[in-house]
mmCIF file of all heavy atoms in Angstrom:
data_model
loop_
_atom_site.group_PDB
_atom_site.id
_atom_site.type_symbol
_atom_site.label_atom_id
_atom_site.label_comp_id
_atom_site.label_asym_id
_atom_site.label_seq_id
_atom_site.Cartn_x
_atom_site.Cartn_y
_atom_site.Cartn_z
ATOM 1 N N GLU K 1074 39.634 34.955 -8.079
ATOM 2 C CA GLU K 1074 40.584 35.005 -9.191
ATOM 3 C C GLU K 1074 39.938 34.512 -10.479
ATOM 4 O O GLU K 1074 40.228 35.017 -11.555
ATOM 5 C CB GLU K 1074 41.821 34.160 -8.885
ATOM 6 C CG GLU K 1074 42.744 34.762 -7.869
ATOM 7 C CD GLU K 1074 43.900 33.832 -7.515
ATOM 8 O OE1 GLU K 1074 44.058 32.784 -8.172
ATOM 9 O OE2 GLU K 1074 44.633 34.175 -6.587
ATOM 10 N N GLY K 1075 39.090 33.497 -10.346
ATOM 11 C CA GLY K 1075 38.380 32.972 -11.505
ATOM 12 C C GLY K 1075 39.217 32.123 -12.430
ATOM 13 O O GLY K 1075 38.823 31.863 -13.562
ATOM 14 N N ASN K 1076 40.362 31.669 -11.968
ATOM 15 C CA ASN K 1076 41.258 30.878 -12.814
ATOM 16 C C ASN K 1076 41.114 29.372 -12.600
ATOM 17 O O ASN K 1076 42.037 28.626 -12.911
ATOM 18 C CB ASN K 1076 42.723 31.277 -12.558
ATOM 19 C CG ASN K 1076 43.000 32.710 -12.938
ATOM 20 O OD1 ASN K 1076 42.371 33.246 -13.846
ATOM 21 N ND2 ASN K 1076 43.924 33.340 -12.240
ATOM 22 N N ILE K 1077 39.981 28.932 -12.093
ATOM 23 C CA ILE K 1077 39.778 27.505 -11.872
ATOM 24 C C ILE K 1077 38.551 27.054 -12.657
ATOM 25 O O ILE K 1077 37.654 27.850 -12.947
ATOM 26 C CB ILE K 1077 39.639 27.164 -10.367
ATOM 27 C CG1 ILE K 1077 38.476 27.907 -9.714
ATOM 28 C CG2 ILE K 1077 40.922 27.475 -9.619
ATOM 29 C CD1 ILE K 1077 38.231 27.513 -8.268
ATOM 30 N N ASP K 1078 38.545 25.789 -12.988
ATOM 31 C CA ASP K 1078 37.432 25.275 -13.792
ATOM 32 C C ASP K 1078 36.171 25.111 -12.942
ATOM 33 O O ASP K 1078 36.199 25.252 -11.722
ATOM 34 C CB ASP K 1078 37.798 23.973 -14.504
ATOM 35 C CG ASP K 1078 38.130 22.831 -13.552
ATOM 36 O OD1 ASP K 1078 37.527 22.762 -12.466
ATOM 37 O OD2 ASP K 1078 38.980 21.991 -13.907
ATOM 38 N N LEU K 1079 35.079 24.827 -13.593
ATOM 39 C CA LEU K 1079 33.779 24.752 -12.924
ATOM 40 C C LEU K 1079 33.743 23.690 -11.830
ATOM 41 O O LEU K 1079 33.246 23.941 -10.726
ATOM 42 C CB LEU K 1079 32.673 24.487 -13.957
ATOM 43 C CG LEU K 1079 31.248 24.426 -13.412
ATOM 44 C CD1 LEU K 1079 30.876 25.740 -12.736
ATOM 45 C CD2 LEU K 1079 30.278 24.089 -14.529
ATOM 46 N N ASP K 1080 34.275 22.498 -12.116
ATOM 47 C CA ASP K 1080 34.264 21.432 -11.104
ATOM 48 C C ASP K 1080 35.025 21.834 -9.852
ATOM 49 O O ASP K 1080 34.556 21.618 -8.730
ATOM 50 C CB ASP K 1080 34.839 20.130 -11.671
ATOM 51 C CG ASP K 1080 33.898 19.440 -12.637
ATOM 52 O OD1 ASP K 1080 32.677 19.679 -12.552
ATOM 53 O OD2 ASP K 1080 34.394 18.656 -13.469
ATOM 54 N N ASP K 1081 36.200 22.423 -10.035
ATOM 55 C CA ASP K 1081 36.986 22.862 -8.882
ATOM 56 C C ASP K 1081 36.290 24.012 -8.149
ATOM 57 O O ASP K 1081 36.364 24.114 -6.927
ATOM 58 C CB ASP K 1081 38.394 23.279 -9.304
ATOM 59 C CG ASP K 1081 39.275 22.100 -9.662
ATOM 60 O OD1 ASP K 1081 38.967 20.966 -9.224
ATOM 61 O OD2 ASP K 1081 40.269 22.299 -10.388
ATOM 62 N N SER K 1082 35.620 24.879 -8.912
ATOM 63 C CA SER K 1082 34.873 25.978 -8.293
ATOM 64 C C SER K 1082 33.772 25.437 -7.395
ATOM 65 O O SER K 1082 33.577 25.911 -6.279
ATOM 66 C CB SER K 1082 34.253 26.881 -9.358
ATOM 67 O OG SER K 1082 35.234 27.565 -10.066
ATOM 68 N N ILE K 1083 33.057 24.448 -7.893
ATOM 69 C CA ILE K 1083 31.965 23.860 -7.111
ATOM 70 C C ILE K 1083 32.500 23.167 -5.868
ATOM 71 O O ILE K 1083 31.958 23.331 -4.770
ATOM 72 C CB ILE K 1083 31.135 22.895 -7.980
ATOM 73 C CG1 ILE K 1083 30.374 23.686 -9.040
ATOM 74 C CG2 ILE K 1083 30.166 22.079 -7.132
ATOM 75 C CD1 ILE K 1083 29.717 22.844 -10.105
ATOM 76 N N LYS K 1084 33.589 22.419 -6.020
ATOM 77 C CA LYS K 1084 34.192 21.746 -4.859
ATOM 78 C C LYS K 1084 34.651 22.763 -3.823
ATOM 79 O O LYS K 1084 34.448 22.588 -2.619
ATOM 80 C CB LYS K 1084 35.363 20.870 -5.297
ATOM 81 C CG LYS K 1084 34.937 19.619 -6.023
ATOM 82 C CD LYS K 1084 36.141 18.824 -6.483
ATOM 83 C CE LYS K 1084 35.718 17.635 -7.335
ATOM 84 N NZ LYS K 1084 36.872 16.927 -7.909
ATOM 85 N N SER K 1085 35.277 23.835 -4.298
ATOM 86 C CA SER K 1085 35.748 24.876 -3.383
ATOM 87 C C SER K 1085 34.583 25.563 -2.691
ATOM 88 O O SER K 1085 34.633 25.850 -1.483
ATOM 89 C CB SER K 1085 36.575 25.912 -4.145
ATOM 90 O OG SER K 1085 37.760 25.345 -4.630
ATOM 91 N N PHE K 1086 33.522 25.823 -3.447
ATOM 92 C CA PHE K 1086 32.337 26.446 -2.863
ATOM 93 C C PHE K 1086 31.731 25.551 -1.791
ATOM 94 O O PHE K 1086 31.368 26.025 -0.704
ATOM 95 C CB PHE K 1086 31.309 26.749 -3.962
ATOM 96 C CG PHE K 1086 30.094 27.451 -3.447
ATOM 97 C CD1 PHE K 1086 30.117 28.813 -3.179
ATOM 98 C CD2 PHE K 1086 28.920 26.750 -3.225
ATOM 99 C CE1 PHE K 1086 28.995 29.461 -2.699
ATOM 100 C CE2 PHE K 1086 27.795 27.395 -2.741
ATOM 101 C CZ PHE K 1086 27.826 28.756 -2.477
ATOM 102 N N GLU K 1087 31.621 24.264 -2.073
ATOM 103 C CA GLU K 1087 31.080 23.319 -1.087
ATOM 104 C C GLU K 1087 31.929 23.306 0.175
ATOM 105 O O GLU K 1087 31.395 23.310 1.295
ATOM 106 C CB GLU K 1087 31.017 21.909 -1.677
ATOM 107 C CG GLU K 1087 29.941 21.722 -2.714
ATOM 108 C CD GLU K 1087 29.973 20.355 -3.385
ATOM 109 O OE1 GLU K 1087 31.044 19.710 -3.431
ATOM 110 O OE2 GLU K 1087 28.920 19.933 -3.868
ATOM 111 N N GLU K 1088 33.242 23.294 0.007
ATOM 112 C CA GLU K 1088 34.129 23.321 1.167
ATOM 113 C C GLU K 1088 33.941 24.618 1.952
ATOM 114 O O GLU K 1088 33.901 24.622 3.181
ATOM 115 C CB GLU K 1088 35.588 23.178 0.730
ATOM 116 C CG GLU K 1088 36.556 23.139 1.889
ATOM 117 C CD GLU K 1088 38.021 23.016 1.457
ATOM 118 O OE1 GLU K 1088 38.297 22.942 0.249
ATOM 119 O OE2 GLU K 1088 38.872 22.997 2.364
ATOM 120 N N GLY K 1089 33.789 25.723 1.225
ATOM 121 C CA GLY K 1089 33.569 27.011 1.871
ATOM 122 C C GLY K 1089 32.288 27.033 2.681
ATOM 123 O O GLY K 1089 32.257 27.560 3.799
ATOM 124 N N VAL K 1090 31.224 26.467 2.135
ATOM 125 C CA VAL K 1090 29.947 26.408 2.855
ATOM 126 C C VAL K 1090 30.105 25.607 4.141
ATOM 127 O O VAL K 1090 29.613 25.999 5.204
ATOM 128 C CB VAL K 1090 28.840 25.812 1.956
ATOM 129 C CG1 VAL K 1090 27.601 25.477 2.761
ATOM 130 C CG2 VAL K 1090 28.505 26.772 0.820
ATOM 131 N N MET K 1091 30.815 24.491 4.066
ATOM 132 C CA MET K 1091 31.042 23.674 5.271
ATOM 133 C C MET K 1091 31.852 24.454 6.304
ATOM 134 O O MET K 1091 31.567 24.387 7.503
ATOM 135 C CB MET K 1091 31.745 22.367 4.903
ATOM 136 C CG MET K 1091 30.846 21.423 4.162
ATOM 137 S SD MET K 1091 31.515 19.792 3.681
ATOM 138 C CE MET K 1091 33.107 19.669 4.396
ATOM 139 N N LEU K 1092 32.850 25.198 5.852
ATOM 140 C CA LEU K 1092 33.667 25.981 6.775
ATOM 141 C C LEU K 1092 32.851 27.096 7.429
ATOM 142 O O LEU K 1092 33.001 27.367 8.622
ATOM 143 C CB LEU K 1092 34.882 26.565 6.044
ATOM 144 C CG LEU K 1092 35.946 25.557 5.638
ATOM 145 C CD1 LEU K 1092 36.940 26.190 4.670
ATOM 146 C CD2 LEU K 1092 36.676 25.023 6.864
ATOM 147 N N VAL K 1093 31.978 27.741 6.659
ATOM 148 C CA VAL K 1093 31.122 28.788 7.218
ATOM 149 C C VAL K 1093 30.230 28.200 8.302
ATOM 150 O O VAL K 1093 30.079 28.778 9.384
ATOM 151 C CB VAL K 1093 30.275 29.463 6.111
ATOM 152 C CG1 VAL K 1093 29.152 30.295 6.709
ATOM 153 C CG2 VAL K 1093 31.158 30.314 5.220
ATOM 154 N N LYS K 1094 29.638 27.039 8.028
ATOM 155 C CA LYS K 1094 28.776 26.395 9.021
ATOM 156 C C LYS K 1094 29.559 26.047 10.286
ATOM 157 O O LYS K 1094 29.069 26.207 11.404
ATOM 158 C CB LYS K 1094 28.128 25.143 8.434
ATOM 159 C CG LYS K 1094 27.053 25.457 7.421
ATOM 160 C CD LYS K 1094 26.439 24.195 6.853
ATOM 161 C CE LYS K 1094 25.363 24.527 5.830
ATOM 162 N NZ LYS K 1094 24.710 23.342 5.281
ATOM 163 N N GLU K 1095 30.790 25.570 10.104
ATOM 164 C CA GLU K 1095 31.636 25.234 11.256
ATOM 165 C C GLU K 1095 31.941 26.483 12.079
ATOM 166 O O GLU K 1095 31.851 26.469 13.310
ATOM 167 C CB GLU K 1095 32.946 24.599 10.757
ATOM 168 C CG GLU K 1095 33.859 24.124 11.845
ATOM 169 C CD GLU K 1095 35.111 23.458 11.286
ATOM 170 O OE1 GLU K 1095 35.022 22.756 10.264
ATOM 171 O OE2 GLU K 1095 36.181 23.656 11.882
ATOM 172 N N CYS K 1096 32.268 27.583 11.402
ATOM 173 C CA CYS K 1096 32.551 28.837 12.105
ATOM 174 C C CYS K 1096 31.313 29.348 12.826
ATOM 175 O O CYS K 1096 31.399 29.813 13.971
ATOM 176 C CB CYS K 1096 33.069 29.894 11.130
ATOM 177 S SG CYS K 1096 34.746 29.593 10.528
ATOM 178 N N GLN K 1097 30.153 29.265 12.179
ATOM 179 C CA GLN K 1097 28.914 29.703 12.812
ATOM 180 C C GLN K 1097 28.613 28.886 14.061
ATOM 181 O O GLN K 1097 28.159 29.421 15.068
ATOM 182 C CB GLN K 1097 27.748 29.598 11.831
ATOM 183 C CG GLN K 1097 27.780 30.653 10.749
ATOM 184 C CD GLN K 1097 26.692 30.463 9.705
ATOM 185 O OE1 GLN K 1097 26.277 29.349 9.426
ATOM 186 N NE2 GLN K 1097 26.244 31.555 9.118
ATOM 187 N N LYS K 1098 28.888 27.592 14.008
ATOM 188 C CA LYS K 1098 28.660 26.725 15.167
ATOM 189 C C LYS K 1098 29.570 27.133 16.331
ATOM 190 O O LYS K 1098 29.124 27.221 17.472
ATOM 191 C CB LYS K 1098 28.913 25.265 14.783
ATOM 192 C CG LYS K 1098 28.688 24.300 15.912
ATOM 193 C CD LYS K 1098 28.969 22.881 15.492
ATOM 194 C CE LYS K 1098 28.869 21.955 16.693
ATOM 195 N NZ LYS K 1098 29.427 20.643 16.430
ATOM 196 N N ILE K 1099 30.826 27.396 16.030
ATOM 197 C CA ILE K 1099 31.774 27.799 17.074
ATOM 198 C C ILE K 1099 31.355 29.121 17.695
ATOM 199 O O ILE K 1099 31.389 29.295 18.921
ATOM 200 C CB ILE K 1099 33.214 27.871 16.511
ATOM 201 C CG1 ILE K 1099 33.698 26.467 16.130
ATOM 202 C CG2 ILE K 1099 34.164 28.524 17.516
ATOM 203 C CD1 ILE K 1099 34.980 26.440 15.317
ATOM 204 N N ILE K 1100 30.921 30.063 16.855
ATOM 205 C CA ILE K 1100 30.472 31.367 17.357
ATOM 206 C C ILE K 1100 29.228 31.204 18.216
ATOM 207 O O ILE K 1100 29.118 31.808 19.290
ATOM 208 C CB ILE K 1100 30.221 32.344 16.186
ATOM 209 C CG1 ILE K 1100 31.558 32.740 15.557
ATOM 210 C CG2 ILE K 1100 29.460 33.578 16.657
ATOM 211 C CD1 ILE K 1100 31.426 33.513 14.267
ATOM 212 N N SER K 1101 28.292 30.382 17.784
ATOM 213 C CA SER K 1101 27.068 30.147 18.563
ATOM 214 C C SER K 1101 27.388 29.545 19.920
ATOM 215 O O SER K 1101 26.806 29.937 20.944
ATOM 216 C CB SER K 1101 26.118 29.218 17.806
ATOM 217 O OG SER K 1101 25.628 29.839 16.650
ATOM 218 N N GLU K 1102 28.308 28.590 19.950
ATOM 219 C CA GLU K 1102 28.709 27.977 21.218
ATOM 220 C C GLU K 1102 29.355 29.001 22.143
ATOM 221 O O GLU K 1102 29.102 29.004 23.348
ATOM 222 C CB GLU K 1102 29.657 26.801 20.962
ATOM 223 C CG GLU K 1102 28.974 25.607 20.327
ATOM 224 C CD GLU K 1102 29.939 24.514 19.874
ATOM 225 O OE1 GLU K 1102 31.177 24.709 19.950
ATOM 226 O OE2 GLU K 1102 29.445 23.466 19.423
ATOM 227 N N ALA K 1103 30.171 29.877 21.570
ATOM 228 C CA ALA K 1103 30.809 30.915 22.374
ATOM 229 C C ALA K 1103 29.768 31.885 22.927
ATOM 230 O O ALA K 1103 29.845 32.289 24.097
ATOM 231 C CB ALA K 1103 31.845 31.660 21.539
ATOM 232 N N GLU K 1104 28.790 32.253 22.096
ATOM 233 C CA GLU K 1104 27.722 33.142 22.564
ATOM 234 C C GLU K 1104 26.933 32.509 23.704
ATOM 235 O O GLU K 1104 26.587 33.184 24.675
ATOM 236 C CB GLU K 1104 26.770 33.487 21.414
ATOM 237 C CG GLU K 1104 27.366 34.452 20.415
ATOM 238 C CD GLU K 1104 26.452 34.702 19.220
ATOM 239 O OE1 GLU K 1104 25.541 33.880 18.940
ATOM 240 O OE2 GLU K 1104 26.655 35.728 18.552
ATOM 241 N N LEU K 1105 26.640 31.222 23.601
ATOM 242 C CA LEU K 1105 25.925 30.527 24.671
ATOM 243 C C LEU K 1105 26.714 30.563 25.977
ATOM 244 O O LEU K 1105 26.145 30.794 27.048
ATOM 245 C CB LEU K 1105 25.637 29.082 24.280
ATOM 246 C CG LEU K 1105 24.518 28.857 23.273
ATOM 247 C CD1 LEU K 1105 24.475 27.379 22.853
ATOM 248 C CD2 LEU K 1105 23.183 29.271 23.866
ATOM 249 N N LYS K 1106 28.020 30.331 25.876
ATOM 250 C CA LYS K 1106 28.862 30.361 27.082
ATOM 251 C C LYS K 1106 28.844 31.737 27.722
ATOM 252 O O LYS K 1106 28.725 31.868 28.948
ATOM 253 C CB LYS K 1106 30.300 29.965 26.734
ATOM 254 C CG LYS K 1106 30.471 28.499 26.457
ATOM 255 C CD LYS K 1106 31.919 28.179 26.116
ATOM 256 C CE LYS K 1106 32.067 26.715 25.743
ATOM 257 N NZ LYS K 1106 33.455 26.372 25.385
ATOM 258 N N VAL K 1107 28.968 32.780 26.889
ATOM 259 C CA VAL K 1107 28.964 34.144 27.416
ATOM 260 C C VAL K 1107 27.621 34.451 28.069
ATOM 261 O O VAL K 1107 27.569 35.004 29.177
ATOM 262 C CB VAL K 1107 29.283 35.169 26.299
ATOM 263 C CG1 VAL K 1107 29.011 36.599 26.763
ATOM 264 C CG2 VAL K 1107 30.730 35.022 25.846
ATOM 265 N N ASN K 1108 26.538 34.075 27.395
ATOM 266 C CA ASN K 1108 25.202 34.317 27.963
ATOM 267 C C ASN K 1108 24.997 33.573 29.280
ATOM 268 O O ASN K 1108 24.407 34.121 30.218
ATOM 269 C CB ASN K 1108 24.109 33.948 26.961
ATOM 270 C CG ASN K 1108 24.001 34.952 25.838
ATOM 271 O OD1 ASN K 1108 24.339 36.118 26.004
ATOM 272 N ND2 ASN K 1108 23.551 34.500 24.686
ATOM 273 N N LYS K 1109 25.497 32.349 29.367
ATOM 274 C CA LYS K 1109 25.386 31.592 30.627
ATOM 275 C C LYS K 1109 26.156 32.290 31.739
ATOM 276 O O LYS K 1109 25.693 32.363 32.876
ATOM 277 C CB LYS K 1109 25.901 30.167 30.444
ATOM 278 C CG LYS K 1109 24.932 29.265 29.726
ATOM 279 C CD LYS K 1109 25.480 27.853 29.611
ATOM 280 C CE LYS K 1109 24.541 26.961 28.833
ATOM 281 N NZ LYS K 1109 25.064 25.594 28.678
ATOM 282 N N LEU K 1110 27.341 32.780 31.409
ATOM 283 C CA LEU K 1110 28.141 33.486 32.413
ATOM 284 C C LEU K 1110 27.436 34.758 32.856
ATOM 285 O O LEU K 1110 27.413 35.085 34.048
ATOM 286 C CB LEU K 1110 29.529 33.809 31.866
ATOM 287 C CG LEU K 1110 30.465 32.623 31.694
ATOM 288 C CD1 LEU K 1110 31.716 33.033 30.925
ATOM 289 C CD2 LEU K 1110 30.852 32.053 33.051
ATOM 290 N N LEU K 1111 26.871 35.485 31.902
ATOM 291 C CA LEU K 1111 26.158 36.714 32.256
ATOM 292 C C LEU K 1111 24.928 36.413 33.095
ATOM 293 O O LEU K 1111 24.645 37.116 34.068
ATOM 294 C CB LEU K 1111 25.760 37.474 30.990
ATOM 295 C CG LEU K 1111 26.897 38.116 30.199
ATOM 296 C CD1 LEU K 1111 26.381 38.671 28.881
ATOM 297 C CD2 LEU K 1111 27.584 39.195 31.014
ATOM 298 N N ASP K 1112 24.193 35.383 32.738
ATOM 299 C CA ASP K 1112 22.978 35.011 33.468
ATOM 300 C C ASP K 1112 23.289 34.538 34.880
ATOM 301 O O ASP K 1112 22.509 34.746 35.805
ATOM 302 C CB ASP K 1112 22.193 33.930 32.723
ATOM 303 C CG ASP K 1112 21.541 34.454 31.455
ATOM 304 O OD1 ASP K 1112 21.423 35.692 31.299
ATOM 305 O OD2 ASP K 1112 21.156 33.622 30.613
#
């Protein structure tokens, strides 16, 4: 939307990066479980 100031944009971006990392971790753990089951 672009209707937020720079400080809020940076804070939101930082939060987004943390959320992406959290999602990637969950996906990686799920992939490991599936691979273990297949193996």
Side-chain angles (χ1 to χ4, degrees):
E1074 287 175 8
N1076 296 330
I1077 59 175
D1078 62 34
L1079 182 60
D1080 286 337
D1081 287 339
S1082 293
I1083 292 170
K1084 287 178 186 174
S1085 294
F1086 183 79
E1087 288 175 335
E1088 182 181 359
V1090 168
M1091 289 182 6
L1092 289 168
V1093 166
K1094 288 180 180 182
E1095 184 178 323
C1096 288
Q1097 287 175 330
K1098 181 181 174 194
I1099 293 168
I1100 290 171
S1101 293
E1102 290 171 354
E1104 287 176 340
L1105 285 173
K1106 287 180 184 179
V1107 169
N1108 287 333
K1109 283 182 183 179
L1110 289 170
L1111 290 172
D1112 289 344

